[in-house]
Amino acid sequence: MKKSILYLFAIAVLFVSCSKEEPVAVTNEEGIQVNNDASSLNQMMIPYNEPLNLTGEKAGLALTLVGEAISPTVNGVKLSASYVFRKYNKVFVTYNERGNGYGGAVRVYSLVDPSNPALVSEMTFEKIDINACDINGLGSSLYLAGSSKSKGGVIVKVAIDGQGIITSTPSTVKVFKIGDGFSANGVIQAHTYLYVSVGNSVGGLYCIDRATMAIVEQDLYSGAKFSCANGRLAGDNHMGLEVNSSNDAFLHTYVVHTSDPNQEHIWPVGHIQTQNVEPEFVNYGKHTMFIRPGTTTCYIAMGVSGMKALNIHTGATVYESPAGMITNGNTNAVSADADYIYMANGAQGLYIAEKPASGTVVNIAAIWDDPAHPGSCNMVYSDNTHIFVAKGKEGGLKIIKSN
């Protein structure tokens, strides 16, 4: 990554240790609460055992809705799921408040019994939107990217145990201000670092030392939207998404644990914008990226422009959604497994696509937009055995099993 201010690592550490980016321990000023009571948590779960009511060429695709989680409520406002991440048999889901208010949560779901998902732990925040998350390699620390009402873009570090239970108490949770942007919207852990995207009008991609939580490097640009990686080791690749003031998007690619500028690239993506929202939110959509471990194809959610997947080494288009796919919705998130590409298309529902035999345009195989399960399709994550679909604050989190 570019060292925008400092050129030597030693100088960077010295500078950061006495800069305004020092971690700030909170004494529950953020209104944090923890709930590990299995009985009350599982009142939020609704079990199902029904096939998805799909339309399209592969309407008979064998997918079963096994459970739904009702969205948490903070400050009297029902939250929307903002990100989903699975590690082994634990699923971590973050939540935020849509609009100008603040309120967030992170939940841990257990898939020890794949047909009977359980909610095992929850932490809520009265003054922080939680936008994304990741865990360390040992699974002992959970990192939350958020927007604090008083601090702007922050990383929240939370301790968890082997079962995913949050062990931090409200008074021991620490909030770390990252840069000058008002929202941290992506975080990925790789090697000994966290790579954090912070936007919107100011910010960029920040490299954070996990041990000290100090900023060691930064690549500054406005409109940073997300951060992801195709691996956790030195030499793997991590990426940042930029959307500038003209809504032109760029994929920044880097190499984990190196600052060699010859290994950094910026690839043009196209136009990214959100439609059918209040004017003040038109440039604040949730534009996420997804890349499978060990691969070179990065999937990008582009709002009204649908989906595009680029080769991270060449910038070439690998896949793209059909022209005219998006009418009244927005592609908010993309995920992919060995068989299909999944697109969370907002008001248009979940689109399931097949990779093309030739060319780059994917084939829409099926659509899940069932009136019996309403809500905007805001987030999707797939991993070959399960699909997790966030259907807005009204629809909650849907847990779907591949048969």
Side-chain angles (χ1 to χ4, degrees):
M1 294 177 65
K2 302 177 184 66
K3 299 184 179 75
S4 309
I5 298 176
L6 305 168
Y7 295 90
L8 297 175
F9 177 82
I11 298 176
V13 173
L14 177 63
F15 178 87
V16 171
S17 67
C18 60
S19 76
K20 66 178 181 180
E21 307 299 347
E22 289 187 2
V24 178
V26 299
T27 55
N28 209 17
E29 66 182 60
E30 305 289 0
I32 302 170
Q33 296 185 45
V34 180
N35 184 359
N36 291 326
D37 178 65
S39 177
S40 65
L41 288 173
N42 279 294
Q43 291 179 17
M44 311 287 185
M45 298 296 299
I46 301 174
Y48 287 96
N49 185 23
E50 63 180 49
L52 291 198
N53 182 20
L54 299 172
T55 59
E57 178 184 336
K58 291 197 172 181
L61 196 64
L63 299 174
T64 301
L65 177 63
V66 296
E68 172 187 308
I70 299 171
S71 297
T73 297
V74 174
N75 299 324
V77 177
K78 188 169 284 190
L79 305 180
S80 296
S82 52
Y83 187 67
V84 180
F85 167 70
R86 179 177 179 177
K87 185 71 172 179
Y88 304 121
N89 289 321
K90 295 180 283 292
V91 180
F92 303 88
V93 183
T94 62
Y95 298 82
N96 60 23
E97 181 178 334
R98 185 179 182 276
N100 294 319
Y102 289 84
V106 60
R107 282 177 167 178
V108 186
Y109 298 86
S110 171
L111 288 179
V112 171
D113 180 354
S115 298
N116 187 29
L119 175 55
V120 298
S121 193
E122 176 187 76
M123 177 174 279
T124 59
F125 303 81
E126 293 180 0
K127 298 179 182 179
I128 304 178
D129 284 338
I130 305 299
N131 303 317
C133 68
D134 200 9
I135 62 173
N136 65 353
L138 297 176
S140 58
S141 294
L142 176 61
Y143 303 101
L144 310 176
S147 176
S148 165
K149 185 176 182 179
S150 60
K151 298 178 179 65
V154 296
I155 289 294
V156 182
K157 185 177 180 180
V158 177
I160 55 176
D161 68 13
Q163 286 69 51
I165 305 297
I166 295 171
T167 57
S168 292
T169 62
S171 61
T172 61
V173 173
K174 294 183 178 180
V175 179
F176 302 84
K177 177 173 170 55
I178 307 296
D180 295 321
F182 71 79
S183 179
N185 45 45
V187 57
I188 191 77
Q189 180 267 315
H191 198 254
T192 57
Y193 309 107
L194 300 176
Y195 296 103
V196 182
S197 56
V198 179
N200 188 38
S201 58
V202 294
L205 190 69
Y206 294 82
C207 177
I208 312 296
D209 185 294
R210 283 197 297 121
T212 64
M213 295 301 291
I215 297 173
V216 295
E217 294 181 82
Q218 51 197 355
D219 191 2
L220 301 181
Y221 47 83
S222 297
K225 289 290 186 181
F226 204 66
S227 177
C228 67
N230 68 351
R232 308 291 184 135
L233 304 177
D236 289 331
N237 294 103
H238 68 98
M239 283 67 70
L241 180 63
E242 173 191 1
V243 182
N244 67 19
S245 59
S246 299
N247 297 312
D248 296 316
F250 301 89
L251 177 66
H252 295 245
T253 68
Y254 312 87
V255 176
V256 173
H257 194 51
T258 182
S259 299
D260 182 359
N262 294 319
Q263 298 189 59
E264 300 177 15
H265 302 284
I266 302 176
W267 308 119
V269 176
H271 189 80
I272 287 185
Q273 195 168 356
T274 303
Q275 68 175 350
N276 293 332
V277 296
E278 296 87 338
E280 62 268 30
F281 302 136
V282 71
N283 295 321
Y284 294 88
K286 182 68 173 178
H287 304 296
T288 62
M289 300 185 293
F290 176 82
I291 187 167
R292 297 180 68 192
T295 67
T296 59
T297 300
C298 182
Y299 298 83
I300 303 164
M302 300 178 64
V304 297
S305 301
M307 176 278 297
K308 185 178 286 187
L310 301 186
N311 182 300
I312 61 173
H313 295 318
T314 68
T317 299
V318 181
Y319 306 119
E320 57 191 328
S321 55
M325 179 187 74
I326 294 298
T327 54
N328 62 317
N330 296 282
T331 302
N332 299 309
V334 186
S335 189
D337 56 28
D339 298 315
Y340 297 100
I341 299 168
Y342 305 86
M343 291 170 277
N345 284 344
Q348 294 178 226
L350 176 70
Y351 279 44
I352 303 173
E354 293 179 306
K355 299 167 186 176
S358 62
T360 60
V361 178
V362 301
N363 174 55
I364 306 302
I367 298 173
W368 187 46
D369 190 24
D370 188 349
H373 298 282
S376 175
C377 193
N378 293 337
M379 185 67 207
V380 61
Y381 177 88
S382 60
D383 61 6
N384 293 321
T385 64
H386 286 78
I387 308 162
F388 305 90
V389 178
K391 294 279 284 183
K393 62 183 181 181
E394 301 89 355
L397 178 74
K398 313 295 186 182
I399 303 173
I400 300 162
K401 190 174 183 296
S402 301
N403 297 334

